[in-house]
Amino acid sequence: MARPLMTAVLGKQGGTVVCFGEVLLRLGAPGREQLLQRPHLDVFVGGAEANVAVGLARLGHRVAMATVAADNTLGHAALGELRRYGVSTDHAVLRPGRMGLYFLTTGAIHRPSDVLYDRAGSTFALAEPEAVDWDTALAGATLLHLSGINAALGENGAKAALRAVQAARAKGIAVSFDCNYRAKLWAEWGGDAPAIIGALLSHADVIFGGRRDFGLVLGRTFEGPDSPRAAADAAFAAFPQARWIASTTREQVTVDHHILSARLFTRDASHIADPVHVAPIVDRIGGGDAFAAGILHGLLTGRPERDVVRLGLAAAALKHGVPGDLALVSAGDMEGFLEGGAFDVRR
């Protein structure tokens, strides 16, 4: 049986999971309409790390969100939404400025979904790399989780992300890193994504990434049926700190019918979850973050690694039935899913 993540890595457990990233507002066209087909938008709070934070809090973990948010009605509302689900925002720095936004057009039939970012010049993106006091934010923490999206926002974001992982490593705190490569964001400022993501990966104990992520960072191509394992082996060789590498694979039958599968690699073992059909999809945004929350939950609670990957896949699949970005999945939902997922009304 796998030992709990904190015991295996640090010899302690039960502390706070700190997630670091930008909290966003998502403005989406209602239903399957085109953006502004009618003058109406549905609003949800999200952001990659915030989604993981809420997911872990819903699964019973102590979680804090470290971020820089706009000191206005929108910023306060977004942080309030995180608190509503049990995430501490004591380490959220408030500054004048604007919230990061993104606009979503949900696809239908043969029309794919589309994301329009409006994050340039946000309070988080412009914040100085030293904005978060990591001595305070990491006090009592056993895990820091962040993603490559921080670095994709610009030079300040990249420096802030590197400062965060260096602070965690100096304190002996484990690091979880999701590559989360976003080509549109990197293109806006021309950052050296392979070098910067690689520098962040060098500090990670848990990595969420697949063959395309590692191909980008390592300048290699991984093809063929064994490419996921080959890519993981190359990443393990390049990043000695890494203990676990997790990823999902998505086969898109239609916009509303996907087949999800998941893998969890260690240096000497591969754990693969049976594929799951997800149809019809309510909302796929945040599915990868739900997967990360499920994987981290399994590791933090000492589940066998063969079960950890199944928990991650269960969380991801269940998220596809929840509107919005946040991973509003309970431990009971996940266990029920793994046991066969009865569809009767719970009374």
mmCIF file of all heavy atoms in Angstrom, residues 231-279:
data_model
loop_
_atom_site.group_PDB
_atom_site.id
_atom_site.type_symbol
_atom_site.label_atom_id
_atom_site.label_comp_id
_atom_site.label_asym_id
_atom_site.label_seq_id
_atom_site.Cartn_x
_atom_site.Cartn_y
_atom_site.Cartn_z
ATOM 1 N N ALA A 231 7.358 8.833 -22.276
ATOM 2 C CA ALA A 231 7.429 10.238 -21.910
ATOM 3 C C ALA A 231 7.630 10.397 -20.406
ATOM 4 O O ALA A 231 8.401 11.249 -19.951
ATOM 5 C CB ALA A 231 6.151 10.955 -22.350
ATOM 6 N N ALA A 232 6.928 9.568 -19.625
ATOM 7 C CA ALA A 232 7.096 9.628 -18.170
ATOM 8 C C ALA A 232 8.518 9.255 -17.772
ATOM 9 O O ALA A 232 9.119 9.892 -16.897
ATOM 10 C CB ALA A 232 6.088 8.707 -17.493
ATOM 11 N N ASP A 233 9.078 8.225 -18.402
ATOM 12 C CA ASP A 233 10.455 7.825 -18.086
ATOM 13 C C ASP A 233 11.431 8.962 -18.395
ATOM 14 O O ASP A 233 12.377 9.216 -17.633
ATOM 15 C CB ASP A 233 10.834 6.572 -18.874
ATOM 16 C CG ASP A 233 10.165 5.314 -18.329
ATOM 17 O OD1 ASP A 233 9.760 5.332 -17.143
ATOM 18 O OD2 ASP A 233 10.050 4.333 -19.079
ATOM 19 N N ALA A 234 11.214 9.642 -19.521
ATOM 20 C CA ALA A 234 12.087 10.756 -19.878
ATOM 21 C C ALA A 234 11.956 11.885 -18.860
ATOM 22 O O ALA A 234 12.947 12.529 -18.483
ATOM 23 C CB ALA A 234 11.742 11.260 -21.282
ATOM 24 N N ALA A 235 10.734 12.119 -18.384
ATOM 25 C CA ALA A 235 10.523 13.172 -17.382
ATOM 26 C C ALA A 235 11.157 12.784 -16.050
ATOM 27 O O ALA A 235 11.776 13.620 -15.383
ATOM 28 C CB ALA A 235 9.031 13.425 -17.204
ATOM 29 N N PHE A 236 11.009 11.537 -15.651
ATOM 30 C CA PHE A 236 11.645 11.087 -14.409
ATOM 31 C C PHE A 236 13.165 11.254 -14.481
ATOM 32 O O PHE A 236 13.812 11.639 -13.509
ATOM 33 C CB PHE A 236 11.302 9.622 -14.133
ATOM 34 C CG PHE A 236 9.950 9.404 -13.512
ATOM 35 C CD1 PHE A 236 9.058 8.481 -14.063
ATOM 36 C CD2 PHE A 236 9.565 10.092 -12.373
ATOM 37 C CE1 PHE A 236 7.818 8.265 -13.488
ATOM 38 C CE2 PHE A 236 8.316 9.885 -11.785
ATOM 39 C CZ PHE A 236 7.439 8.960 -12.348
ATOM 40 N N ALA A 237 13.721 10.980 -15.658
ATOM 41 C CA ALA A 237 15.172 11.123 -15.817
ATOM 42 C C ALA A 237 15.594 12.588 -15.757
ATOM 43 O O ALA A 237 16.650 12.925 -15.205
ATOM 44 C CB ALA A 237 15.606 10.499 -17.146
ATOM 45 N N ALA A 238 14.756 13.461 -16.319
ATOM 46 C CA ALA A 238 15.102 14.890 -16.365
ATOM 47 C C ALA A 238 14.842 15.602 -15.046
ATOM 48 O O ALA A 238 15.511 16.595 -14.740
ATOM 49 C CB ALA A 238 14.315 15.573 -17.483
ATOM 50 N N PHE A 239 13.895 15.074 -14.267
ATOM 51 C CA PHE A 239 13.481 15.753 -13.031
ATOM 52 C C PHE A 239 13.551 14.778 -11.854
ATOM 53 O O PHE A 239 12.557 14.130 -11.501
ATOM 54 C CB PHE A 239 12.067 16.322 -13.199
ATOM 55 C CG PHE A 239 11.909 17.170 -14.432
ATOM 56 C CD1 PHE A 239 11.114 16.754 -15.484
ATOM 57 C CD2 PHE A 239 12.593 18.373 -14.544
ATOM 58 C CE1 PHE A 239 10.981 17.524 -16.622
ATOM 59 C CE2 PHE A 239 12.470 19.159 -15.683
ATOM 60 C CZ PHE A 239 11.667 18.730 -16.734
ATOM 61 N N PRO A 240 14.719 14.656 -11.237
ATOM 62 C CA PRO A 240 14.935 13.661 -10.180
ATOM 63 C C PRO A 240 14.021 13.822 -8.968
ATOM 64 O O PRO A 240 13.818 12.861 -8.227
ATOM 65 C CB PRO A 240 16.401 13.885 -9.792
ATOM 66 C CG PRO A 240 17.029 14.552 -10.972
ATOM 67 C CD PRO A 240 15.952 15.399 -11.563
ATOM 68 N N GLN A 241 13.470 15.017 -8.755
ATOM 69 C CA GLN A 241 12.604 15.230 -7.599
ATOM 70 C C GLN A 241 11.257 14.530 -7.749
ATOM 71 O O GLN A 241 10.584 14.225 -6.762
ATOM 72 C CB GLN A 241 12.369 16.743 -7.407
ATOM 73 C CG GLN A 241 11.567 17.114 -6.177
ATOM 74 C CD GLN A 241 12.317 16.842 -4.885
ATOM 75 O OE1 GLN A 241 13.528 16.987 -4.817
ATOM 76 N NE2 GLN A 241 11.578 16.415 -3.856
ATOM 77 N N ALA A 242 10.845 14.264 -8.984
ATOM 78 C CA ALA A 242 9.501 13.748 -9.257
ATOM 79 C C ALA A 242 9.302 12.356 -8.668
ATOM 80 O O ALA A 242 10.158 11.474 -8.813
ATOM 81 C CB ALA A 242 9.245 13.723 -10.756
ATOM 82 N N ARG A 243 8.148 12.157 -8.045
ATOM 83 C CA ARG A 243 7.782 10.860 -7.481
ATOM 84 C C ARG A 243 6.601 10.228 -8.218
ATOM 85 O O ARG A 243 6.508 9.022 -8.320
ATOM 86 C CB ARG A 243 7.414 11.032 -6.004
ATOM 87 C CG ARG A 243 8.523 11.633 -5.139
ATOM 88 C CD ARG A 243 9.640 10.624 -4.922
ATOM 89 N NE ARG A 243 9.176 9.482 -4.158
ATOM 90 C CZ ARG A 243 9.201 9.402 -2.821
ATOM 91 N NH1 ARG A 243 9.656 10.428 -2.112
ATOM 92 N NH2 ARG A 243 8.786 8.327 -2.197
ATOM 93 N N TRP A 244 5.664 11.062 -8.661
ATOM 94 C CA TRP A 244 4.478 10.581 -9.365
ATOM 95 C C TRP A 244 4.210 11.466 -10.572
ATOM 96 O O TRP A 244 4.388 12.679 -10.514
ATOM 97 C CB TRP A 244 3.240 10.627 -8.462
ATOM 98 C CG TRP A 244 3.297 9.732 -7.270
ATOM 99 C CD1 TRP A 244 2.975 8.405 -7.203
ATOM 100 C CD2 TRP A 244 3.673 10.106 -5.932
ATOM 101 N NE1 TRP A 244 3.134 7.944 -5.916
ATOM 102 C CE2 TRP A 244 3.560 8.955 -5.117
ATOM 103 C CE3 TRP A 244 4.092 11.309 -5.351
ATOM 104 C CZ2 TRP A 244 3.855 8.972 -3.755
ATOM 105 C CZ3 TRP A 244 4.388 11.335 -3.998
ATOM 106 C CH2 TRP A 244 4.266 10.167 -3.218
ATOM 107 N N ILE A 245 3.752 10.847 -11.674
ATOM 108 C CA ILE A 245 3.326 11.570 -12.865
ATOM 109 C C ILE A 245 1.955 11.043 -13.241
ATOM 110 O O ILE A 245 1.764 9.835 -13.419
ATOM 111 C CB ILE A 245 4.309 11.386 -14.033
ATOM 112 C CG1 ILE A 245 5.653 12.059 -13.710
ATOM 113 C CG2 ILE A 245 3.725 11.944 -15.327
ATOM 114 C CD1 ILE A 245 6.722 11.836 -14.765
ATOM 115 N N ALA A 246 0.988 11.946 -13.355
ATOM 116 C CA ALA A 246 -0.384 11.551 -13.653
ATOM 117 C C ALA A 246 -0.886 12.298 -14.880
ATOM 118 O O ALA A 246 -0.532 13.458 -15.105
ATOM 119 C CB ALA A 246 -1.294 11.846 -12.456
ATOM 120 N N SER A 247 -1.721 11.625 -15.649
ATOM 121 C CA SER A 247 -2.276 12.270 -16.839
ATOM 122 C C SER A 247 -3.568 11.583 -17.248
ATOM 123 O O SER A 247 -3.841 10.447 -16.846
ATOM 124 C CB SER A 247 -1.281 12.222 -18.010
ATOM 125 O OG SER A 247 -1.058 10.881 -18.413
ATOM 126 N N THR A 248 -4.334 12.296 -18.047
ATOM 127 C CA THR A 248 -5.547 11.730 -18.632
ATOM 128 C C THR A 248 -5.412 11.706 -20.144
ATOM 129 O O THR A 248 -4.610 12.437 -20.730
ATOM 130 C CB THR A 248 -6.790 12.552 -18.263
ATOM 131 O OG1 THR A 248 -6.609 13.897 -18.721
ATOM 132 C CG2 THR A 248 -7.033 12.541 -16.764
ATOM 133 N N THR A 249 -6.214 10.867 -20.762
ATOM 134 C CA THR A 249 -6.334 10.834 -22.215
ATOM 135 C C THR A 249 -7.809 10.984 -22.550
ATOM 136 O O THR A 249 -8.665 10.380 -21.895
ATOM 137 C CB THR A 249 -5.806 9.509 -22.782
ATOM 138 O OG1 THR A 249 -4.427 9.360 -22.425
ATOM 139 C CG2 THR A 249 -5.932 9.480 -24.301
ATOM 140 N N ARG A 250 -8.097 11.799 -23.518
ATOM 141 C CA ARG A 250 -9.484 12.098 -23.882
ATOM 142 C C ARG A 250 -9.715 11.756 -25.347
ATOM 143 O O ARG A 250 -9.077 12.324 -26.242
ATOM 144 C CB ARG A 250 -9.773 13.579 -23.642
ATOM 145 C CG ARG A 250 -11.193 14.013 -23.955
ATOM 146 C CD ARG A 250 -11.316 15.532 -23.826
ATOM 147 N NE ARG A 250 -11.028 15.994 -22.484
ATOM 148 C CZ ARG A 250 -11.948 16.116 -21.521
ATOM 149 N NH1 ARG A 250 -13.202 15.788 -21.777
ATOM 150 N NH2 ARG A 250 -11.603 16.563 -20.333
ATOM 151 N N GLU A 251 -10.623 10.823 -25.600
ATOM 152 C CA GLU A 251 -11.053 10.526 -26.966
ATOM 153 C C GLU A 251 -12.414 11.178 -27.177
ATOM 154 O O GLU A 251 -13.361 10.900 -26.440
ATOM 155 C CB GLU A 251 -11.164 9.016 -27.192
ATOM 156 C CG GLU A 251 -11.636 8.637 -28.579
ATOM 157 C CD GLU A 251 -11.841 7.146 -28.761
ATOM 158 O OE1 GLU A 251 -11.346 6.371 -27.926
ATOM 159 O OE2 GLU A 251 -12.509 6.762 -29.746
ATOM 160 N N GLN A 252 -12.499 12.052 -28.170
ATOM 161 C CA GLN A 252 -13.725 12.804 -28.386
ATOM 162 C C GLN A 252 -14.543 12.161 -29.505
ATOM 163 O O GLN A 252 -14.209 12.284 -30.681
ATOM 164 C CB GLN A 252 -13.391 14.258 -28.716
ATOM 165 C CG GLN A 252 -12.579 14.936 -27.609
ATOM 166 C CD GLN A 252 -12.345 16.399 -27.858
ATOM 167 O OE1 GLN A 252 -13.286 17.180 -27.913
ATOM 168 N NE2 GLN A 252 -11.091 16.793 -28.003
ATOM 169 N N VAL A 253 -15.592 11.462 -29.110
ATOM 170 C CA VAL A 253 -16.494 10.855 -30.082
ATOM 171 C C VAL A 253 -17.320 11.947 -30.739
ATOM 172 O O VAL A 253 -17.444 12.028 -31.964
ATOM 173 C CB VAL A 253 -17.397 9.816 -29.396
ATOM 174 C CG1 VAL A 253 -18.330 9.167 -30.419
ATOM 175 C CG2 VAL A 253 -16.554 8.756 -28.690
ATOM 176 N N THR A 254 -17.928 12.796 -29.912
ATOM 177 C CA THR A 254 -18.587 14.022 -30.344
ATOM 178 C C THR A 254 -18.281 15.064 -29.270
ATOM 179 O O THR A 254 -17.646 14.766 -28.256
ATOM 180 C CB THR A 254 -20.119 13.866 -30.467
ATOM 181 O OG1 THR A 254 -20.679 13.679 -29.159
ATOM 182 C CG2 THR A 254 -20.485 12.680 -31.351
ATOM 183 N N VAL A 255 -18.762 16.296 -29.460
ATOM 184 C CA VAL A 255 -18.582 17.321 -28.445
ATOM 185 C C VAL A 255 -19.204 16.886 -27.123
ATOM 186 O O VAL A 255 -18.711 17.222 -26.046
ATOM 187 C CB VAL A 255 -19.200 18.653 -28.925
ATOM 188 C CG1 VAL A 255 -19.310 19.657 -27.780
ATOM 189 C CG2 VAL A 255 -18.362 19.247 -30.055
ATOM 190 N N ASP A 256 -20.279 16.093 -27.197
ATOM 191 C CA ASP A 256 -21.017 15.691 -26.002
ATOM 192 C C ASP A 256 -20.699 14.278 -25.526
ATOM 193 O O ASP A 256 -21.315 13.810 -24.561
ATOM 194 C CB ASP A 256 -22.523 15.781 -26.267
ATOM 195 C CG ASP A 256 -22.982 17.214 -26.396
ATOM 196 O OD1 ASP A 256 -22.530 18.049 -25.599
ATOM 197 O OD2 ASP A 256 -23.792 17.504 -27.293
ATOM 198 N N HIS A 257 -19.794 13.595 -26.158
ATOM 199 C CA HIS A 257 -19.471 12.219 -25.788
ATOM 200 C C HIS A 257 -17.955 12.023 -25.852
ATOM 201 O O HIS A 257 -17.368 12.002 -26.923
ATOM 202 C CB HIS A 257 -20.170 11.240 -26.738
ATOM 203 C CG HIS A 257 -19.893 9.797 -26.423
ATOM 204 N ND1 HIS A 257 -20.314 8.765 -27.241
ATOM 205 C CD2 HIS A 257 -19.237 9.195 -25.379
ATOM 206 C CE1 HIS A 257 -19.925 7.609 -26.722
ATOM 207 N NE2 HIS A 257 -19.272 7.857 -25.602
ATOM 208 N N HIS A 258 -17.349 11.925 -24.677
ATOM 209 C CA HIS A 258 -15.915 11.702 -24.595
ATOM 210 C C HIS A 258 -15.639 10.395 -23.872
ATOM 211 O O HIS A 258 -16.447 9.937 -23.053
ATOM 212 C CB HIS A 258 -15.226 12.844 -23.832
ATOM 213 C CG HIS A 258 -15.316 14.167 -24.514
ATOM 214 N ND1 HIS A 258 -14.771 15.320 -23.993
ATOM 215 C CD2 HIS A 258 -15.891 14.542 -25.689
ATOM 216 C CE1 HIS A 258 -15.000 16.330 -24.807
ATOM 217 N NE2 HIS A 258 -15.686 15.880 -25.839
ATOM 218 N N ILE A 259 -14.496 9.815 -24.163
ATOM 219 C CA ILE A 259 -14.025 8.630 -23.448
ATOM 220 C C ILE A 259 -12.754 9.034 -22.707
ATOM 221 O O ILE A 259 -11.759 9.422 -23.330
ATOM 222 C CB ILE A 259 -13.742 7.456 -24.413
ATOM 223 C CG1 ILE A 259 -15.000 7.122 -25.223
ATOM 224 C CG2 ILE A 259 -13.276 6.233 -23.614
ATOM 225 C CD1 ILE A 259 -14.755 6.102 -26.324
ATOM 226 N N LEU A 260 -12.792 8.973 -21.390
ATOM 227 C CA LEU A 260 -11.663 9.385 -20.560
ATOM 228 C C LEU A 260 -10.929 8.169 -20.020
ATOM 229 O O LEU A 260 -11.547 7.186 -19.607
ATOM 230 C CB LEU A 260 -12.142 10.225 -19.373
ATOM 231 C CG LEU A 260 -12.913 11.508 -19.651
ATOM 232 C CD1 LEU A 260 -13.283 12.176 -18.330
ATOM 233 C CD2 LEU A 260 -12.104 12.444 -20.516
ATOM 234 N N SER A 261 -9.618 8.257 -20.012
ATOM 235 C CA SER A 261 -8.792 7.253 -19.345
ATOM 236 C C SER A 261 -7.698 7.987 -18.581
ATOM 237 O O SER A 261 -7.467 9.178 -18.803
ATOM 238 C CB SER A 261 -8.185 6.262 -20.348
ATOM 239 O OG SER A 261 -7.415 6.942 -21.324
ATOM 240 N N ALA A 262 -7.057 7.293 -17.660
ATOM 241 C CA ALA A 262 -6.083 7.955 -16.796
ATOM 242 C C ALA A 262 -4.940 7.022 -16.464
ATOM 243 O O ALA A 262 -5.104 5.795 -16.425
ATOM 244 C CB ALA A 262 -6.751 8.442 -15.513
ATOM 245 N N ARG A 263 -3.772 7.630 -16.214
ATOM 246 C CA ARG A 263 -2.562 6.887 -15.861
ATOM 247 C C ARG A 263 -1.877 7.563 -14.686
ATOM 248 O O ARG A 263 -1.885 8.790 -14.578
ATOM 249 C CB ARG A 263 -1.587 6.836 -17.040
ATOM 250 C CG ARG A 263 -2.115 6.166 -18.291
ATOM 251 C CD ARG A 263 -1.118 6.305 -19.436
ATOM 252 N NE ARG A 263 -1.527 5.582 -20.629
ATOM 253 C CZ ARG A 263 -2.357 6.069 -21.550
ATOM 254 N NH1 ARG A 263 -2.838 7.303 -21.400
ATOM 255 N NH2 ARG A 263 -2.689 5.361 -22.602
ATOM 256 N N LEU A 264 -1.283 6.746 -13.834
ATOM 257 C CA LEU A 264 -0.426 7.231 -12.759
ATOM 258 C C LEU A 264 0.866 6.440 -12.813
ATOM 259 O O LEU A 264 0.857 5.212 -12.691
ATOM 260 C CB LEU A 264 -1.092 7.054 -11.394
ATOM 261 C CG LEU A 264 -0.251 7.489 -10.187
ATOM 262 C CD1 LEU A 264 -0.030 9.005 -10.193
ATOM 263 C CD2 LEU A 264 -0.918 7.052 -8.878
ATOM 264 N N PHE A 265 1.969 7.138 -13.036
ATOM 265 C CA PHE A 265 3.272 6.487 -13.153
ATOM 266 C C PHE A 265 4.131 6.788 -11.935
ATOM 267 O O PHE A 265 4.128 7.910 -11.419
ATOM 268 C CB PHE A 265 4.023 6.980 -14.396
ATOM 269 C CG PHE A 265 3.347 6.654 -15.704
ATOM 270 C CD1 PHE A 265 2.946 7.668 -16.563
ATOM 271 C CD2 PHE A 265 3.108 5.341 -16.072
ATOM 272 C CE1 PHE A 265 2.338 7.383 -17.772
ATOM 273 C CE2 PHE A 265 2.496 5.038 -17.280
ATOM 274 C CZ PHE A 265 2.111 6.060 -18.132
ATOM 275 N N THR A 266 4.854 5.775 -11.476
ATOM 276 C CA THR A 266 5.973 5.977 -10.575
ATOM 277 C C THR A 266 7.211 5.572 -11.353
ATOM 278 O O THR A 266 7.123 5.161 -12.516
ATOM 279 C CB THR A 266 5.834 5.133 -9.297
ATOM 280 O OG1 THR A 266 5.857 3.741 -9.653
ATOM 281 C CG2 THR A 266 4.537 5.459 -8.572
ATOM 282 N N ARG A 267 8.351 5.653 -10.717
ATOM 283 C CA ARG A 267 9.576 5.306 -11.445
ATOM 284 C C ARG A 267 9.642 3.823 -11.808
ATOM 285 O O ARG A 267 10.318 3.452 -12.765
ATOM 286 C CB ARG A 267 10.801 5.705 -10.618
ATOM 287 C CG ARG A 267 10.946 7.221 -10.513
ATOM 288 C CD ARG A 267 12.169 7.672 -9.754
ATOM 289 N NE ARG A 267 12.203 9.138 -9.732
ATOM 290 C CZ ARG A 267 12.790 9.888 -10.667
ATOM 291 N NH1 ARG A 267 13.417 9.298 -11.678
ATOM 292 N NH2 ARG A 267 12.759 11.203 -10.582
ATOM 293 N N ASP A 268 8.911 2.993 -11.077
ATOM 294 C CA ASP A 268 9.006 1.561 -11.347
ATOM 295 C C ASP A 268 7.663 0.884 -11.574
ATOM 296 O O ASP A 268 7.581 -0.338 -11.601
ATOM 297 C CB ASP A 268 9.740 0.852 -10.201
ATOM 298 C CG ASP A 268 9.094 1.114 -8.847
ATOM 299 O OD1 ASP A 268 8.034 1.756 -8.803
ATOM 300 O OD2 ASP A 268 9.672 0.676 -7.836
ATOM 301 N N ALA A 269 6.590 1.653 -11.732
ATOM 302 C CA ALA A 269 5.281 1.029 -11.931
ATOM 303 C C ALA A 269 4.371 1.931 -12.749
ATOM 304 O O ALA A 269 4.538 3.157 -12.785
ATOM 305 C CB ALA A 269 4.621 0.716 -10.585
ATOM 306 N N SER A 270 3.401 1.285 -13.403
ATOM 307 C CA SER A 270 2.384 2.004 -14.171
ATOM 308 C C SER A 270 1.013 1.550 -13.693
ATOM 309 O O SER A 270 0.758 0.350 -13.568
ATOM 310 C CB SER A 270 2.519 1.702 -15.674
ATOM 311 O OG SER A 270 3.784 2.076 -16.175
ATOM 312 N N HIS A 271 0.142 2.499 -13.429
ATOM 313 C CA HIS A 271 -1.215 2.189 -12.982
ATOM 314 C C HIS A 271 -2.183 2.858 -13.948
ATOM 315 O O HIS A 271 -2.150 4.079 -14.127
ATOM 316 C CB HIS A 271 -1.438 2.688 -11.558
ATOM 317 C CG HIS A 271 -0.441 2.159 -10.575
ATOM 318 N ND1 HIS A 271 -0.566 0.923 -9.980
ATOM 319 C CD2 HIS A 271 0.727 2.675 -10.129
ATOM 320 C CE1 HIS A 271 0.461 0.711 -9.174
ATOM 321 N NE2 HIS A 271 1.268 1.761 -9.252
ATOM 322 N N ILE A 272 -3.031 2.069 -14.570
ATOM 323 C CA ILE A 272 -3.928 2.567 -15.613
ATOM 324 C C ILE A 272 -5.361 2.254 -15.232
ATOM 325 O O ILE A 272 -5.695 1.114 -14.891
ATOM 326 C CB ILE A 272 -3.578 1.937 -16.974
ATOM 327 C CG1 ILE A 272 -2.118 2.258 -17.343
ATOM 328 C CG2 ILE A 272 -4.527 2.450 -18.056
ATOM 329 C CD1 ILE A 272 -1.626 1.563 -18.588
ATOM 330 N N ALA A 273 -6.224 3.266 -15.271
ATOM 331 C CA ALA A 273 -7.639 3.096 -14.952
ATOM 332 C C ALA A 273 -8.412 2.751 -16.218
ATOM 333 O O ALA A 273 -8.104 3.235 -17.309
ATOM 334 C CB ALA A 273 -8.193 4.372 -14.323
ATOM 335 N N ASP A 274 -9.412 1.905 -16.074
ATOM 336 C CA ASP A 274 -10.248 1.539 -17.213
ATOM 337 C C ASP A 274 -10.947 2.780 -17.773
ATOM 338 O O ASP A 274 -11.380 3.655 -17.007
ATOM 339 C CB ASP A 274 -11.305 0.515 -16.800
ATOM 340 C CG ASP A 274 -10.699 -0.832 -16.435
ATOM 341 O OD1 ASP A 274 -9.596 -1.138 -16.937
ATOM 342 O OD2 ASP A 274 -11.326 -1.572 -15.655
ATOM 343 N N PRO A 275 -11.073 2.872 -19.093
ATOM 344 C CA PRO A 275 -11.709 4.046 -19.695
ATOM 345 C C PRO A 275 -13.157 4.206 -19.242
ATOM 346 O O PRO A 275 -13.850 3.232 -18.922
ATOM 347 C CB PRO A 275 -11.630 3.756 -21.200
ATOM 348 C CG PRO A 275 -10.528 2.760 -21.347
ATOM 349 C CD PRO A 275 -10.575 1.931 -20.105
ATOM 350 N N VAL A 276 -13.608 5.449 -19.235
ATOM 351 C CA VAL A 276 -14.967 5.793 -18.823
ATOM 352 C C VAL A 276 -15.617 6.619 -19.924
ATOM 353 O O VAL A 276 -15.022 7.575 -20.421
ATOM 354 C CB VAL A 276 -14.953 6.606 -17.506
ATOM 355 C CG1 VAL A 276 -16.344 7.122 -17.175
ATOM 356 C CG2 VAL A 276 -14.410 5.761 -16.364
ATOM 357 N N HIS A 277 -16.841 6.232 -20.313
ATOM 358 C CA HIS A 277 -17.610 7.024 -21.267
ATOM 359 C C HIS A 277 -18.324 8.135 -20.519
ATOM 360 O O HIS A 277 -19.012 7.884 -19.521
ATOM 361 C CB HIS A 277 -18.628 6.148 -22.000
ATOM 362 C CG HIS A 277 -18.009 5.232 -23.008
ATOM 363 N ND1 HIS A 277 -18.024 5.493 -24.358
ATOM 364 C CD2 HIS A 277 -17.327 4.064 -22.846
ATOM 365 C CE1 HIS A 277 -17.388 4.513 -24.994
ATOM 366 N NE2 HIS A 277 -16.964 3.639 -24.106
ATOM 367 N N VAL A 278 -18.160 9.364 -20.982
ATOM 368 C CA VAL A 278 -18.806 10.522 -20.369
ATOM 369 C C VAL A 278 -19.733 11.132 -21.410
ATOM 370 O O VAL A 278 -19.280 11.735 -22.384
ATOM 371 C CB VAL A 278 -17.761 11.559 -19.904
ATOM 372 C CG1 VAL A 278 -18.438 12.735 -19.241
ATOM 373 C CG2 VAL A 278 -16.757 10.916 -18.947
ATOM 374 N N ALA A 279 -21.035 10.952 -21.202
ATOM 375 C CA ALA A 279 -22.013 11.461 -22.168
ATOM 376 C C ALA A 279 -23.408 11.420 -21.537
ATOM 377 O O ALA A 279 -23.723 10.466 -20.824
ATOM 378 C CB ALA A 279 -21.987 10.606 -23.437
#
